[in-house]
Amino acid sequence: SLFALAGVEVSQKSAKEIRSLFARQFSRQKTTAGTERLVFTAPDGKQTNIYPFSGMGFWGPIHGYIALDGTLSRIRGIVFTRQEETPGLGAEITGQPFRRQFINRLFTRTESSREVLLRIKKAGEAKTPFHIDGITGATETTGRVNFMVKKVLDSAVADRERRPSHAN
């Protein structure tokens, strides 16, 4: 969920409390690409930027969100909200082993670099800190998710360049 990406536990909250929390702490901001991202602002002022993404997988549409820190330089997490990939193969993008690889990952060389270096590689071919291991037997799904994620991260780099330097 969006709250999980922002690091907020809501399992013990009522629907009314969740709606109120969302209204108070989430805002929508335009991206340089002309789309919208959600910005969660924690009580301590730290922000999480949540970008939606979507595209065509191997068998059907894939939708999800990727969360970035307040500096738009480090990935906090990724979730997939819709996918129609093959169970046991491409559908493994929704599993913890794949998604865990994104957590706390820098996607450019430095916080001010422009080139997105993060790549989802074929399973077993991740060789650098900027590589994510893809799903065994799901080369097409992996490639398509890589394209979607890179597009979002390119947008985040453009957004980062137009932000004030004091962002947290």
Side-chain angles (χ1 to χ4, degrees), residues 91-154:
E92 294 300 308
I93 59 175
T94 63
Q96 277 292 343
F98 179 69
R99 292 185 305 114
R100 188 180 306 121
Q101 296 180 78
F102 289 86
I103 297 171
N104 207 29
R105 191 72 73 125
L106 194 66
F107 56 89
T108 57
R109 188 153 320 279
T110 67
E111 289 185 6
S112 60
S113 300
R114 292 181 173 171
E115 183 184 4
V116 173
L117 299 174
L118 188 85
R119 297 288 184 274
I120 304 169
K121 306 295 274 186
K122 281 185 176 181
E125 292 185 9
K127 305 288 187 224
T128 78
F130 296 104
H131 290 167
I132 302 271
D133 250 331
I135 305 295
T136 301
T139 304
E140 280 294 322
T141 300
T142 297
R144 292 165 190 230
V145 170
N146 182 65
F147 177 79
M148 290 175 230
V149 168
K150 183 174 182 323
K151 187 174 174 184
V152 167
L153 297 177
D154 283 338

Side-chain angles (χ1 to χ4, degrees), residues 10-104:
V10 294
S11 63
Q12 302 300 313
K13 296 192 182 306
S14 69
K16 183 178 179 181
E17 289 171 317
I18 291 171
R19 281 192 300 276
S20 176
L21 183 63
F22 186 88
R24 282 192 326 272
Q25 293 185 264
F26 278 92
S27 62
R28 296 181 190 281
Q29 291 185 2
K30 283 279 188 211
T31 68
T32 54
T35 59
E36 281 189 343
R37 71 175 180 249
L38 287 171
V39 179
F40 174 82
T41 304
D44 65 3
K46 288 194 176 180
Q47 293 186 329
T48 300
N49 295 271
I50 302 174
Y51 287 77
F53 64 87
S54 63
M56 191 62 187
F58 188 56
W59 293 110
I62 294 175
H63 297 254
Y65 294 92
I66 191 163
L68 308 177
D69 68 354
T71 65
L72 296 173
S73 59
R74 195 170 290 277
I75 299 172
R76 288 211 168 138
I78 189 169
V79 295
F80 295 88
T81 56
R82 178 179 179 192
Q83 60 81 24
E84 298 175 15
E85 303 305 283
T86 306
L89 293 171
E92 294 300 308
I93 59 175
T94 63
Q96 277 292 343
F98 179 69
R99 292 185 305 114
R100 188 180 306 121
Q101 296 180 78
F102 289 86
I103 297 171
N104 207 29

